[in-house]
């Protein structure tokens, strides 16, 4: 991801299984970040929302969700977030 290789990172992250709950949260955060960088804002929102259902205090997921709503110009949902 650090080299801008977001799609290969998503491919790797999608195929990782059997993680602890904490590691799974990090995997999903990294995936959401990759999709955001690729301009796939609805996928970012969906993943961030999934994370927030498990932990409503996940600030990074909330921030990615907010920024994605801004990118798709859904300002009502962005403000709600």
């Amino acid at each position: 991801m650090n080299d801008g290789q977001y799609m290969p990172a998503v491919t790797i992250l999608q195929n990782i299984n059997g993680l602890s709950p904490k590691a799974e949260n990090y995997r999903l955060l990294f995936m959401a970040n990759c999709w955001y960088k690729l301009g796939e804002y609805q996928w970012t929102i969906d993943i961030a929302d999934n994370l927030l259902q498990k932990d409503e205090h996940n600030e990074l997921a909330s921030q990615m969700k907010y920024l994605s709503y801004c990118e798709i110009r859904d300002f009502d949902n962005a403000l709600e977030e």
Side-chain angles (χ1 to χ4, degrees):
M1 289 181 348
N2 290 340
D3 297 328
Q5 299 295 315
Y6 301 111
M7 202 59 219
V10 165
T11 302
I12 291 168
L13 290 166
Q14 285 178 328
N15 293 314
I16 297 174
N17 297 308
L19 298 174
S20 70
K22 185 176 181 179
E24 176 65 8
N25 285 349
Y26 283 119
R27 182 186 78 84
L28 291 173
L29 280 172
F30 287 136
M31 279 188 59
N33 182 58
C34 288
W35 287 125
Y36 181 83
K37 296 289 188 174
L38 290 166
E40 295 290 345
Y41 304 117
Q42 190 57 55
W43 288 18
T44 304
I45 291 166
D46 293 344
I47 292 170
D49 194 49
N50 183 354
L51 281 163
L52 289 165
Q53 288 177 12
K54 296 175 189 177
D55 175 13
E56 64 186 28
H57 302 292
N58 189 320
E59 299 261 341
L60 291 173
S62 181
Q63 184 178 24
M64 280 192 268
K65 191 174 172 184
Y66 165 79
L67 291 171
S68 294
Y69 277 129
C70 288
E71 291 290 341
I72 61 173
R73 307 185 81 63
D74 185 346
F75 300 116
D76 290 336
N77 278 320
L79 288 173
E80 214 174 282
E81 188 57 40

